[in-house]
Amino acid sequence: MQMLVDIHVHLADSRISDPLVFIGAARAAGVGWLLGTATRSNEWDMLTALAARFPVCDCALGIHPWHADEWSVETAAKLQVLGCSPRVVAIGEIGLDFGARGGDKDRQLSCFEDQVMIARDAGKPVVLHVYKAWPVMRGVFKNAGLSTVGGVWHGFTGGPELAREALDVGLHVSFGGAVLETRNRRCRSAAAYVPEDRLLVESDGPDYPVYRDGAASSEAVSESGSVVDVYRTLADLRGVSVPRLAAAVARNAARLFGVELGTAE
């Protein structure tokens, strides 16, 4: 099988008891490159250390909107320095979440805008969390000129119309376990709609539940190999082979994140 890439894994999450075992299991499942993604500043050192140790793992550093109250002058300064590292290939997971869990909107917006500027100055793409906040986020993009560095809407669950708006501002669109749920028709339609050269794939491990037979299983969190199921489902929805899909996703990841991947079909 063509090498698979997983563009969103929370390797520093406490639910992953041993990141080294997780990475090894992912490789055994066919994942040849993965992006370890941060949500808090106390994860940054672990992720950069893993990236330094394992060529198959690069990292994205940032502060998630749920933790926007951790943003400070000191964290901004540290991210500016780390963001220039060649193994830090993106700024993320950052974004806006205007749902009940998101917290103070003004604090989120300030944290997000600062990190967007750091990404732009470092020439790195952004990895985005978006929930009930897309119109505001789109405005930030236009004001910041973020199209020069690009980014990805991770864990996309919306329909084709929303995917079109994301594409129009220069984003890639990444799909994870949500496409495995047969009831999620709009998301599955979007997965078939997004152009091949803007499509990415993720496990979001360990956050997304594993889906079996179109419904969430009893397993609490996703495993390292669950991204294989996402590739198979996406290939079926798009009417292509898994090797063709995997080759396209690898090319997209290599281009967006500036990494060397074996992308030959």
Side-chain angles (χ1 to χ4, degrees):
M1 179 185 289
Q2 167 73 31
M3 181 192 77
L4 307 180
V5 302
D6 184 346
I7 69 100
H8 202 96
V9 187
H10 294 289
L11 292 172
D13 191 293
S14 61
R15 290 169 293 171
I16 296 179
S17 57
D18 189 338
L20 306 187
V21 172
F22 192 97
I23 292 170
R27 295 189 68 184
V31 177
W33 179 83
L34 49 84
L35 184 63
T37 307
T39 59
R40 314 180 76 159
S41 61
N42 62 8
E43 300 172 344
W44 297 352
D45 290 343
M46 175 188 283
L47 291 173
T48 54
L50 287 171
R53 182 173 178 182
F54 295 99
V56 299
C57 176
D58 288 293
C59 60
L61 305 184
I63 291 184
H64 191 285
W66 293 352
H67 308 298
D69 59 348
E70 298 179 7
W71 187 247
S72 67
V73 172
E74 291 75 21
T75 53
K78 183 174 182 178
L79 186 58
Q80 285 175 321
V81 173
L82 291 175
C84 294
S85 167
R87 300 304 301 277
V88 178
V89 299
I91 302 300
E93 179 179 352
I94 67 174
L96 297 171
D97 188 323
F98 290 171
R101 190 173 178 180
D104 183 86
K105 292 181 180 180
D106 290 338
R107 190 184 297 272
Q108 282 190 56
L109 186 58
S110 177
C111 176
F112 177 59
E113 288 176 335
D114 286 351
Q115 292 182 97
V116 165
M117 292 298 102
I118 289 172
R120 191 186 67 178
D121 292 345
K124 302 290 175 74
V126 291
V127 178
L128 298 170
H129 172 101
V130 191
Y131 186 66
K132 295 186 177 180
W134 172 242
V136 175
M137 182 174 284
R138 182 170 51 187
V140 173
F141 283 171
K142 291 181 178 179
N143 292 334
L146 200 62
S147 60
T148 58
V149 295
V152 54
W153 185 325
H154 112 83
F156 188 85
T157 59
E161 299 85 359
L162 190 58
R164 178 71 263 167
E165 293 184 16
L167 295 167
D168 286 344
V169 299
L171 293 175
H172 288 63
V173 182
S174 179
F175 295 91
V179 298
L180 305 182
E181 187 173 7
T182 55
R183 293 172 297 178
N184 200 343
R185 296 192 181 109
R186 287 182 54 76
C187 178
R188 288 162 69 94
S189 294
Y193 166 78
V194 171
E196 186 174 84
D197 64 349
R198 304 283 283 284
L199 182 70
L200 292 169
V201 178
E202 64 183 75
S203 66
D204 199 15
D207 284 333
Y208 267 134
V210 178
Y211 289 85
R212 298 285 185 250
D213 299 323
S217 79
S218 59
E219 296 173 77
V221 296
S222 62
E223 300 171 344
S224 56
S226 63
V227 75
V228 176
D229 292 333
V230 179
Y231 274 94
R232 289 171 177 160
T233 299
L234 280 171
D236 183 60
L237 290 171
R238 297 173 68 86
V240 300
S241 68
V242 172
R244 172 173 170 169
L245 176 68
V249 171
R251 285 193 298 269
N252 297 342
R255 182 178 64 251
L256 179 62
F257 297 115
V259 294
E260 294 290 336
L261 299 175
T263 56
E265 193 165 341

